[in-house]
Structures are given as C-alpha cells and as structure tokens.
Amino acid sequence: MTAASDSTLFPQAAAATQFPATPEGADAVLDGLDPEQREVATALHGPVCVLAGAGTGKTRAITHRIAYGVRAGILQPGTVLAVTFTARAAGEMRGRLRQLGAGGVQARTFHSAALRQLQYFWPKAVGGELPRLVERKAQLVAEAAARCRIRLDRNELRDVTGEIEWSKVTQTVPADYPAAVHKAGREAPRDPAEIGQIYGTYEQLKRDRGTIDFEDVLLLTVGVLQDRHDIAEQVRAQYQHFVVDEYQDVSPLQQRLLDLWLGDRDNLCVVGDASQTIYSFTGATPDHLLNFRTRHPNATVVKLVRDYRSTPQVVHLANGLLSQARGRAAEHRLELISQRDPGPEPTYVEYGDEPAEAEGTARRIRDLIASGVPASEIAVLFRINAQSEVYEQALADLGVPYQLRGAERFFERPEVREAGVKLRGAARFGANDALLDDAVDLPSEVRAVLSDMGWTSTPPAGSGAVRDRWESLAALVRLAEDFAKARPTATLADLVAELDERANAQHAPTVDGVTLASFHAAKGLEWDAVFLVGLTEGMMPITYARTDEQVEEERRLLYVGVTRARRHLGLSWSLSRSPGGRAVRRPSRFLDGLRPGSGTAGRRTAAAVTGGIERGGGSVRGASRRRERSPARCRVCGKTLTDAGEMKLMRCDDCPSELDEALYERLRDWRAEQARQLGQPAYCVFTDKTLMAIAEAVPGTEGELAVIPGVGGRKLGRFGADVLALCAGEELVPAGDGPSPDDLPEGGARSSGKSSEK
C-alpha cells in the first residue's frame, strides 16, 4: 500500500525502495515531471489552481513545486505552509520533501497548524494557558443531552455529535441550527429543535469547565486573527507561501482561516478534484475549488489528466462511472487518460449471500498472492466498517494476513515503541551485546534484536494480536533491508535516527497484509489489486442518500474506490445477507451500463474537462447552472401532482390502485401496536398515505422501502425491519414474547420465522 501517486511515471522503480536518492540540484527536482506537472512545479508566484484527476500525480507535482522553490532559493523553507486534511498525508508530505532535499517546510493539517498558533499566541491574546482540549466530545454531548432530558442511543449520540461538528465548521450557532438544517436540505437525525438545544447545552458545559473541542481550535484561531491585527501580521510575516491539498474538501471555517492567513496576498496554490468530493456531511464543499477563478481572475489553472496509476481498463470504468454523473461537480469532471500498459478487464461477480461473497473474494486474493502480488498491494473496500468482519474471518480462514485501515498509528503501537527502545540500546551498546555476535550487516543486526521480541522469519498462523505484533516487527525488518540497500554504509544508529524522523513525520513503513478499509478511509491510497464488495442498492448508494446531491456523492465515493486500483479491479455483490435467505437484493444502480448485461448507460453529462494549462485573465468555464426539480407525475395517468397526499402515493386518488389490502390491514394493526407502546398518535409512526404507498409498492429491500415518501432515515432505522418482514408475509412476535428492544440489533425485526434479507 502506498500513498496516491507514489507510482507516478515510474511505478515499479518507485516501489523498489523506500529511500530514493535525493536530487543533486534544483533542476534535477524537475526531472521526470510531465509538462503539466512541470508547470505546477515552476509556477511559484501568484494564485495557482491545480485540477488533478485521480492518479495524475498531484502530490508529486506539489511536493516537487515546494522542493524546486526551496532548492532554487526562491522559497525559504520556514515561510512555506503546506496544508493537508489528515495527519497521515501531512506526514507523508514531510517525508517526500525531506527526500527531495527540502526539509524544514511545515506540512500540517488545518487543525494542527491552528493549534500551534493558538498555543503560541493565547497568552498574548487572551492571557493564561490555553483551555484543555477535549479530544472526544461524545461523552460531553451525552451529558448535554441528559441535562436536556433527551435520551440518545449509541447511534443517535454519534449522529448528534456529527451535527454539532457540522454546525461549527459551517459557523452555525445553536439558535440557528434548525433554520440552517432546513436551508441546507440536510436530514437531521432527530428533531432539529432538540439538537439545537443539546448543542447549546454542550457549548455551555465546555465554558463551565474551561475546555475547548477540535472545532474550537479553528474558531478561536479565526477569532484571534480577526481581532488582533498585530498577531495576524506576525503570522503573515512568518508564512508567505501556501499550498492546500484536497481543496475540494475545505469547509467554510477552514476557508475563513486560510483567508486570514493570506491577508491581501495571493501566493496560494490549491489542488483538488471536484469528482472526489466525498465529505460534504462534515461541511466540506467543492465550491471554493470551483469558484477559484472567480475569486482569483488572474490565477493560473493547470489540469492534470494523465493517469499514471491505473490501466486503461480501470480508467475506462472510472470515466464511464462519472459520465453518468449529474450536478455542478460533474460539469467539471476530468476525463482521465491512462499512461499505463493494458491490463485485465475489471471483473463483476454476483454471489448468493454475504459469506459466499467474502469467501470468494478471499480465494481470489489468495490466488493473486500465489501469482506474485504482495499482500500489502491488495485491498478490500466496503461502504461501512460493519461489513469488514465477514472478510476478516474469510481471510483468516485461508491464512491470508490482513490489516484494518484506520487502526492505531504504526509508531504508537506498543511493540513498535518497544522495538525502538531495544534498537536504540543496541546502537549504543551493541559491542557488548551477545545478540549481535553473529550479525554481519545492518539487516541481520535488526533481525537479531527483534528476534528477542518474538520476531521469526515465518509468520505465526491465524490472526489476532500475535499476528498483528509480528506484522509490525516484520515491517521494521523490511525497512532495515531497504535502508541498507539505499545506504550500504549505514549503521544501526543511522537506522534509529531514520526511525525517529519517520515517527515525527508519521511516515510509517508498509505492513505486509491485505488492507480492509471503508471507501472513505481509502481516499488518498492505492493498491495493485482492489476488491469493491457489497455493491448493492441500499449500500451503494447507502439507504439514507435520498436527495440527488447525496446520491451523486455516493457515486463519487464509488469512483474513489475504483480509482484506487492500479491493475486488478473486482466488483461484487450478494443477493441476500445469509445463506438460504431471500434473493431480493439488486446490484448498485451505478453499475448500470457498465457491467456486462446491464444495458446501456444512462444519459451523459456535458463533455469532460480536458487537460492543459490556462493562464490568468481568461474566461471562466463551467459557470453554475441551477437545474430545476422535475414535477411529480402520476405513475398511472401521467398527470402532474400537486396534492401532498397524492405525491406520497405517486398517483391520483381516483386512479386505479394496486393496493395489497391484506398487507395494508396488517400494517395498520402493527402501527396501532407501535403507537400504543410509544404513547403517541398512530400518524407519528406512519401516516395512512405512507402505509398505502407501502402496501402498493410491497418493498423487499431497505433501498426500496427508503424511496417511499414518508419513510425517512430515522423511521427506516426504527421500523424498517418490521415493515419489510410484514411485506414478506412473516408474522412478528409480540413485543412481550421476545427479547427486549435493547437486546435487538438496530432496526432488527421481531420475526417468528426466517427473516427477510435486506
């Protein structure tokens, strides 16, 4: 597994060692860049916007830009601030810059950079020490809810916490939350007024206890820079050149902070791809990227479309996926052009159930490893983390090593810390250490030291903590071997110094195992072989993606997954959840027109943006065009519907009905019992019109139920399994005869027989 674009231009050479030679001079930094990348690297003044498709070498372009400026004496390392969105990406950027001979450049996340400034200036701006930072706010949110006499279950607590974070990055105060949610077309996880109340209480609790949260770091830094012009000028004197990666993910609050850092200057380079906007639920918006030429008319715009990562077959699928996209981001999509030799066609596999899908995927992975593909160059990607368990088990059953993406940072693992202590001791006192008597070179010294911790030349069987520990130590051994190849005269002390620098930069070595990760966690990474699993309606797009914009973001998420693959790409889905379950699932609509036998693709958007360079002063392409919502029409006679009840049924009241009357009566009886238990009117569960719509549609999956008007995300999670069971003709066990609601999985149906598969 490597960071995106590590394989740019020379994929095999880049993967051959973790320690490439440092360029001898400034001009050597530009060697190997294509014309567009070279333009990015040499455009060191004024506003620059880089529109970079997946796999086109954007990270390479901007790191070489910084390194070229430093090595040429145009930029001073201490005056450059490179901003990324994850600590991992920042660490990798620092590592790359160090290898290019540009150490000393600050590469940080927005929060990390803001926190350093806040800690430094707080005594001067406010006085005293900076309030304590609350790293995990969920517990405080739960306390705030309790004070408001509102009970939140675990999932609601997570969702409400997310709403508070969204409010803060969009600079929405508690009193304005309900109106802001309505304006944004955002579906709140519960009553917006309740969330606003919890949000306000949460803020009061923080004030009472003298604490701040992650979002406050940005808000307070913005406040200090706005109110104290002397401090703002001091920051601007320090940082004079800015580079922002993944600019499509900037939130309004982050953009405000960037504006304050810049002041009236324009030495700014931003890099992004609107087609990879997948974090809008956190407040991220591609508008800042798409409007860059409007805000900076003299900007140089460079478009990178040469894809050095993926084969033509993978690129063709990625382009086809986006060709059906809609919305403003789609109007700015980049048509990728593969620069690699042809490879195998992507595979599409349908399975009967989830265990069969996991087992089939694991067998294909085992075969790839047997053919020579390293386990570390294979990934299994899924929509939600809960899908990983069945793949963990399937891989473990076949003895295939794996790692979960998003787990503990490499250098923070106990065994890695312990190994660092032992290696440091051996470097100091190795002459008196009997362990090193038979060691003949640096790698053998490392192997000898780590063997005392349990490392062996062959991995332990199975999975779990023992295997995880061995994988960490094995990664250190491989790092030592690469280090010795790159620097034959290096000593154990040199390796320890390298490990220290990597730990500070969070530049971890590669762990030899198949990566299991969500689509979101895979952003910015790449592998030789990628398996995209669970691609069914209701999972991709996810059930709660209801608006056109939300569905399009799900399409972009799948696009991100597809473009992680260099050569091998597998897409799969299963028709039921468990063996013997009803085969009611359908493959994702996003695969229509792409997978064999699925017909032709849907209508395409406007032509994609081609690569090239636009100098400042030109016209701005792709102005925003608002698309009006189509009117609702009767599905029987085609008449335009205006009545809310008719729109819910999607037919005129007097048009023929396909109502399943027996199902409708069962649903009414079930609703009456639910209302009795909740102590609420029946319509609070579902209205009559919604029940009629359900009885007419007779949905068989969560996805089919979710599209029925009146079935929101909250009701789907609460009542969906029961409704689907009734639609399947099953009898529900009365609440008093079965387990308590707290014993049931979320949305679990109380079925007396075999439950329908969603």
Side-chain angles (χ1 to χ4, degrees), residues 390-443:
V390 66
Y391 291 91
E392 294 177 53
Q393 186 62 54
L395 291 170
D397 288 346
L398 294 181
V400 177
Y402 66 86
Q403 60 170 330
L404 289 172
R405 185 73 198 169
E408 187 176 34
R409 288 182 180 178
F410 182 83
F411 288 105
E412 294 175 2
R413 298 176 185 175
E415 64 271 18
V416 175
R417 289 178 178 271
E418 181 185 351
V421 171
K422 288 186 177 292
L423 290 171
R424 185 170 284 103
R428 291 180 179 175
F429 310 110
N432 301 318
D433 193 336
L435 275 174
L436 304 182
D437 287 348
D438 297 327
V440 296
D441 56 14
L442 176 58

Side-chain angles (χ1 to χ4, degrees), residues 226-296:
Q226 283 182 162
D227 296 341
R228 292 291 300 268
H229 297 292
D230 56 331
I231 293 177
E233 289 306 315
Q234 192 172 342
V235 171
R236 291 167 191 158
Q238 170 72 52
Y239 296 116
Q240 299 171 24
H241 300 270
F242 297 86
V243 177
V244 184
D245 196 7
E246 305 289 3
Y247 193 58
Q248 77 277 354
D249 291 330
V250 166
S251 71
L253 179 56
Q254 290 166 332
Q255 180 63 49
R256 180 62 185 138
L257 178 58
L258 179 61
D259 289 340
L260 288 166
W261 282 340
L262 275 167
D264 57 1
R265 301 165 300 173
D266 62 0
N267 281 328
L268 170 66
C269 175
V270 301
V271 190
D273 178 10
S275 295
Q276 296 188 66
T277 305
I278 58 173
Y279 294 108
S280 66
F281 60 90
T282 67
T285 170
D287 289 347
H288 304 298
L289 175 68
L290 298 178
N291 295 335
F292 192 83
R293 281 290 294 272
T294 302
R295 299 185 65 190
H296 302 278

Side-chain angles (χ1 to χ4, degrees), residues 179-379:
V181 166
H182 177 73
K183 182 178 180 181
R186 191 177 178 89
E187 185 172 331
R190 57 184 303 141
D191 183 8
E194 290 183 345
I195 295 178
Q197 185 182 4
I198 295 171
Y199 177 17
T201 305
Y202 165 80
E203 291 296 309
Q204 186 60 52
L205 281 173
K206 286 199 291 94
R207 287 192 292 270
D208 293 344
R209 296 174 186 181
T211 59
I212 59 175
D213 63 22
F214 213 44
E215 290 70 40
D216 289 330
V217 170
L218 299 184
L219 285 164
L220 291 171
T221 305
V222 165
V224 168
L225 296 179
Q226 283 182 162
D227 296 341
R228 292 291 300 268
H229 297 292
D230 56 331
I231 293 177
E233 289 306 315
Q234 192 172 342
V235 171
R236 291 167 191 158
Q238 170 72 52
Y239 296 116
Q240 299 171 24
H241 300 270
F242 297 86
V243 177
V244 184
D245 196 7
E246 305 289 3
Y247 193 58
Q248 77 277 354
D249 291 330
V250 166
S251 71
L253 179 56
Q254 290 166 332
Q255 180 63 49
R256 180 62 185 138
L257 178 58
L258 179 61
D259 289 340
L260 288 166
W261 282 340
L262 275 167
D264 57 1
R265 301 165 300 173
D266 62 0
N267 281 328
L268 170 66
C269 175
V270 301
V271 190
D273 178 10
S275 295
Q276 296 188 66
T277 305
I278 58 173
Y279 294 108
S280 66
F281 60 90
T282 67
T285 170
D287 289 347
H288 304 298
L289 175 68
L290 298 178
N291 295 335
F292 192 83
R293 281 290 294 272
T294 302
R295 299 185 65 190
H296 302 278
N298 295 322
T300 297
V301 178
V302 184
K303 304 180 187 70
L304 305 182
V305 297
R306 304 176 201 238
D307 188 321
Y308 298 98
R309 177 189 301 158
S310 304
T311 63
Q313 287 76 12
V314 173
V315 168
H316 178 72
L317 174 55
N319 286 336
L321 184 61
L322 282 191
S323 72
Q324 303 177 46
R326 300 171 182 174
R328 190 180 180 204
E331 293 168 359
H332 293 263
R333 69 183 179 89
L334 299 164
E335 186 87 19
L336 301 178
I337 304 171
S338 176
Q339 306 297 300
R340 296 195 58 174
D341 292 334
E345 290 289 340
T347 61
Y348 301 84
V349 185
E350 183 176 275
Y351 294 93
D353 52 69
E354 286 184 9
E357 185 178 6
E359 292 163 11
T361 302
R363 285 194 298 271
R364 294 182 65 195
I365 289 172
R366 180 190 59 189
D367 293 343
L368 277 176
I369 294 173
S371 71
V373 180
S376 60
E377 287 296 346
I378 303 174

Side-chain angles (χ1 to χ4, degrees), residues 65-77 80 101-103 105:
R65 177 184 193 270
I66 296 170
Y68 174 72
V70 169
R71 298 291 296 274
I74 300 171
L75 305 178
Q76 296 302 312
V80 180
V105 173

Side-chain angles (χ1 to χ4, degrees), residues 419 423 445-455 473-474 476-477:
L423 290 171
E445 287 179 328
V446 173
R447 286 192 288 266
V449 172
L450 298 186
S451 65
D452 196 43
M453 292 179 59
W455 177 84
L473 299 180
L476 292 174
V477 170

